[in-house]
Amino acid sequence: MVYSRSPLTAVDADVLILPWFDDDAASAVAGVDAATGGELQRALGTKELSGRLYEVFLAATAGSSWPAKRIAFAGAGRASAFTGDIARKLAAAVGLSLKQRRVSRAAFAVRVGTGSGVDEKEISQAVAEGLTLSEFNVGSYKTSDVPPGRAPAWTVVSATTDCSSAVQRGRLLGECSNLAREMANEPGNTLTPREFAKRSEGIVAGTGLSFDVLDEKQIEALGMGMLLGVAKGSSEPPRVMVIRHDPPGAPATPVLGLVGKGITFDTGGISIKPAEGMERMKDDMAGGAAVVCAMRAIAALKAPIKVIAVVPTTENMPGGRAVKPGDILKSAEGKTVEVINTDAEGRLILGDGLWYARKLGATHLVDVATLTGAIVTALGKITSGLFGTPQTWADVVHRVADRAGDRVWQMPLFDDYRDQIKSDIADLMNTGGRAAGSVTAALFLKEFAGGLPWVHLDIAGTAWAEDSKPYLPKGPSGVAVRTLAELAFTSAEWS
Ligand code: BES
Ligand code: MN
Ligand code: ZN
């Protein structure tokens, strides 16, 4: 991806993408109408070009002096509503369609919507992210279909201010999101816990991050009985990845602790899931992948604070030695848990993971997990559930997520719900019944956050797109990577 400040009259590309607002007159961008030989004016007249979001109108520049061969007017909606989020989606949508058309060189001309209050740097970064996100291919195991189109070589053009570092940042964040999508897309037979750790090591290699993997013996020595309990049904051993970003000169505190759910396949265990749709449970490590890939971005972009990532990873399988309903597990932090449903495994491994992040010195925690079907019922496939305390910390993560284009909505953590996870025989039960299922899951996690500022993102609905959108094809979405990475740059706003 190249950044350029050339005027549009000098941009050389097969296609020049120009965002078009719904109330733009032909004169909104100087010289384009003439460059298209009046085609712009004509299309506006017939409403072939309306500026409606994601609608693309292509016009040739034949006979003009513009080196760009065609102009793709990309519907950008209302100028005053043109946020970074919309710009990112628009760039991804146009990127996807140009990839399909096998365009080899495309330039995106950044425009800022009048009245939007968003600056050119923010739009440029979002455009770089969106174009990069469009490069992701889901069909990595196809051998017989026509290969998917190669993504064009991109140029991002913003003539007014210097946005080169914003574009580089967006490119990197997009690439790290795509790495997380690739891992979430891997099937359970290739991406076992050991393989997940191996690939993650490759992803952080060369970035200056430290990378350690705990094996089953070390996990046992630490007393992580909840993680071991989940792992018992599988012949694949569990792992815990620990990744540290410790930049020279960073203050002793705060230390951001990121914890990701790394279930490489969730059968449900003895409380086995129905067959229908079970194949989707290969992405039950999407939260873990988001944490690993965010760490790569955090290091590459040189976040100024210490960050510690902990990713517990295991399969959840039925088997002769598998954990059974009624079994009691002892967590590393000391609390005992009665397993009611072995399919509520995510909270078990995360509980030990949160404890370990604290033990390693985290002062502010965020965990990310495909945790509950209940959050899909509550918020659907568009919005992740955000839970957390204190409110100031929840607000920080919420604001960062909004900017990063990861839609979240806060859910309650009222103490009254806690009764639902009280056990008769042990400290806690691992399920709290159907009512408010995502809330009781979050309250379970809160037990292991040790009173630190803590946020939990439930991405069960958002990690995988079920039906394709103009800006997002079916498959893994890479949710939370950009939020976690950007969060590491906002410590001045934490209290
Ligand atoms: N990995 C699932 C949650 C999930 C469901 C992710 C749908 C993506 C799509 C999790 O481990 C799980 O099985 N949760 C149970 C908890 C229940 C047994 C309390 C659920 O949500 O049904
Ligand atoms: Mn489960
Ligand atoms: Zn799960």
Side-chain angles (χ1 to χ4, degrees):
M1 182 171 289
V2 176
Y3 173 69
S4 156
R5 290 190 71 178
S6 318
L8 300 187
T9 52
V11 174
D12 187 10
D14 298 325
V15 175
L16 172 63
I17 305 158
L18 187 61
W20 202 255
F21 299 115
D22 61 7
D23 57 356
D24 274 341
S27 58
V29 178
V32 232
D33 187 42
T36 62
E39 183 61 3
L40 170 61
Q41 184 71 265
R42 188 199 59 78
L44 283 172
T46 60
K47 300 263 192 295
E48 263 175 88
L49 169 56
S50 68
R52 221 185 338 229
L53 200 52
Y54 310 131
E55 265 182 26
V56 175
F57 177 79
L58 263 180
T61 55
S64 94
S65 64
W66 287 34
K69 294 191 184 61
R70 278 163 298 163
I71 298 178
F73 296 91
R78 260 194 17 253
S80 60
F82 194 63
T83 55
D85 190 37
I86 302 284
R88 185 183 298 105
K89 286 176 172 157
L90 178 64
V94 181
L96 283 166
S97 80
L98 294 188
K99 186 168 92 171
Q100 239 160 32
R101 290 170 207 235
R102 295 178 156 66
V103 168
S104 59
R105 291 174 314 139
F108 194 112
V110 170
R111 288 184 67 196
V112 172
T114 311
S116 67
V118 184
D119 68 21
E120 198 177 31
K121 288 198 172 68
E122 186 173 344
I123 300 287
S124 297
Q125 178 180 332
V127 163
E129 287 172 13
L131 294 175
T132 306
L133 290 170
S134 76
E135 295 178 358
F136 176 74
N137 288 322
V138 218
S140 39
Y141 284 82
K142 285 185 191 292
T143 62
S144 55
D145 278 22
V146 230
R150 273 267 251 75
W154 307 112
T155 304
V156 177
V157 187
S158 45
T160 320
T161 49
D162 181 2
C163 296
S164 63
S165 53
V167 166
Q168 268 175 35
R169 187 181 184 89
R171 175 69 175 168
L172 191 102
L173 289 167
E175 284 171 348
C176 290
S177 304
N178 287 346
L179 288 170
R181 296 164 87 184
E182 257 169 52
M183 285 206 286
N185 199 34
E186 277 301 303
N189 64 336
T190 60
L191 201 86
T192 58
R194 281 177 294 179
E195 181 65 18
F196 186 19
K198 204 169 132 194
R199 292 201 192 186
S200 298
E201 184 168 18
I203 282 173
V204 306
T207 56
L209 293 163
S210 79
F211 184 88
D212 294 294
V213 191
L214 309 183
D215 64 17
E216 60 275 32
K217 292 200 190 70
Q218 294 164 297
I219 293 169
E220 196 173 346
L222 285 165
M224 297 188 178
M226 296 198 293
L227 171 58
L228 287 173
V230 174
K232 272 177 68 189
S234 172
S235 37
E236 290 289 338
R239 292 289 182 262
V240 175
M241 297 182 236
V242 178
I243 310 171
R244 285 188 185 82
H245 173 66
D246 198 351
T253 59
V255 181
L256 178 61
L258 305 178
V259 181
K261 174 176 175 181
I263 297 290
T264 60
F265 196 85
D266 182 11
T267 66
I270 295 299
S271 317
I272 198 161
K273 288 181 181 293
E276 171 135 8
M278 203 208 273
E279 70 283 351
R280 260 286 318 284
M281 287 299 124
K282 69 176 185 178
D283 83 334
D284 212 16
M285 33 55 71
V291 165
V292 169
C293 297
M295 287 303 281
R296 180 180 165 86
I298 283 169
L301 298 172
K302 299 190 166 43
I305 57 163
K306 297 186 195 220
V307 187
I308 294 175
V310 174
V311 179
T313 172
T314 175
E315 291 184 329
N316 185 24
M317 297 284 285
R321 292 182 193 283
V323 67
K324 303 170 289 298
D327 285 2
I328 292 176
L329 302 176
K330 184 155 187 175
S331 63
E333 99 135 27
K335 288 182 176 139
T336 53
V337 177
E338 180 185 8
V339 174
I340 299 298
N341 187 320
T342 66
D343 199 9
E345 83 297 342
R347 63 198 76 180
L348 296 173
I349 73 166
L350 288 168
D352 280 341
L354 285 165
W355 167 82
Y356 197 49
R358 274 197 283 139
K359 186 177 150 74
L360 295 176
T363 60
H364 292 69
L365 295 166
V366 179
D367 76 71
V368 190
T370 46
L371 202 66
T372 67
I375 201 67
V376 193
T377 307
L379 299 175
K381 310 258 321 145
I382 318 279
T383 309
S384 305
L386 181 149
F387 303 78
T389 172
Q391 191 55 39
T392 47
W393 181 233
D395 287 342
V396 166
V397 180
H398 196 147
R399 259 199 314 275
V400 173
D402 282 347
R403 265 185 69 125
D406 288 322
R407 187 164 287 159
V408 300
W409 196 253
Q410 191 172 359
M411 300 284 287
L413 280 174
F414 303 122
D415 279 339
D416 314 61
Y417 288 111
R418 204 185 163 282
D419 289 345
Q420 289 175 236
I421 53 169
K422 273 190 191 153
S423 163
D424 291 334
I425 183 173
D427 296 326
L428 296 164
M429 299 195 297
N430 79 327
T431 61
R434 280 180 65 81
S438 65
V439 177
T440 51
L443 279 172
F444 183 95
L445 297 179
K446 182 169 174 250
E447 294 290 319
F448 299 91
L452 292 180
W454 156 78
V455 159
H456 156 59
L457 297 174
D458 193 337
I459 58 166
T462 48
W464 192 272
E466 221 74 77
D467 29 41
S468 68
K469 299 249 162 51
Y471 52 87
L472 182 67
K474 272 192 209 175
S477 66
V479 65
V481 173
R482 296 185 306 274
T483 298
L484 297 180
E486 295 278 24
L487 184 61
F489 293 84
T490 60
S491 58
E493 301 163 32
W494 310 358
S495 47

